[in-house]
Amino acid sequence: REGLGPIVMVLDMSGSMMGTPIQTAWALFVALGTQAARSGRKIAIIPFADNAAEPSVANNPAQVLQVVNKQYNIGYGTNFQEGLRRAEELLSCEKDNKRGFKNADVIFITDGIDYIDRTWAARYVASKKALGYRAYGIIVGSMKFPQEVRRVLDAITTLDGQGLAKLEWVEALGHQVIK
């Protein structure tokens, strides 16, 4: 059923995310992860900056907290393509459903601006369609995604002091993903 599958969270951990933005993003991960684990859903997190880490998987609330406490050596810059590529790589392995992430929802969280190559974006959209998953973007703060980034995401919202707000698509994020 749509909205009840695994979750792959692609989390920007670049230098600009330090402080309140990363705390907000981690709090969202803990909330989503705990809820997902309690309802029998898997959650993976893929931290990225210049590079992307291997996915860390949580199957229960205790593992969600273990993921938060891991150390990642991924740099301080921002490379959106690297984070999304790693999620795509995880999901492309799911043709054989080896890790249990078939039909996952990808949630891409960042505070920053980075650019995605137009050719890469077109290939990613085609791959996403072929693999049958959706990607949602959450901006921590008030920045806007460039057009090519918007092209690869199915829906975008902002997370600010008011919580999830300013939805840019018809269905509420909570109804589609967080149930």
Side-chain angles (χ1 to χ4, degrees), residues 37-157:
R38 285 185 180 146
S39 63
R41 298 167 70 184
K42 282 189 169 185
I43 187 163
I45 190 158
I46 301 172
F48 77 96
D50 294 316
N51 301 299
E54 288 290 324
S56 294
V57 177
N59 294 306
N60 60 57
Q63 288 177 344
V64 170
L65 296 177
Q66 289 172 353
V67 168
V68 172
N69 291 320
K70 280 182 84 171
Q71 296 294 315
Y72 300 97
N73 184 18
I74 52 178
Y76 296 100
T78 307
N79 184 340
F80 285 0
Q81 284 181 206
E82 187 62 17
L84 290 168
R85 181 198 62 77
R86 184 71 75 169
E88 177 186 32
E89 185 178 271
L90 172 66
L91 296 171
S92 68
C93 293
E94 292 310 304
K95 287 183 179 178
D96 300 325
N97 203 23
K98 292 179 183 171
R99 293 185 68 187
F101 280 91
K102 189 176 176 108
N103 300 320
D105 291 313
V106 173
I107 301 176
F108 182 75
I109 302 176
T110 184
D111 73 332
I113 297 295
D114 190 31
Y115 297 93
I116 291 178
D117 176 75
R118 179 174 287 177
T119 304
W120 188 91
R123 189 208 50 76
Y124 180 83
V125 168
S127 175
K128 188 174 63 157
K129 184 176 180 182
L131 293 171
Y133 70 92
R134 291 176 64 170
Y136 301 92
I138 300 177
I139 301 171
V140 179
S142 60
M143 300 297 269
K144 296 265 188 211
F145 284 127
Q147 184 175 354
E148 292 306 320
V149 177
R150 295 172 65 85
R151 227 174 246 155
V152 303
L153 300 171
D154 296 293
I156 300 167
T157 189

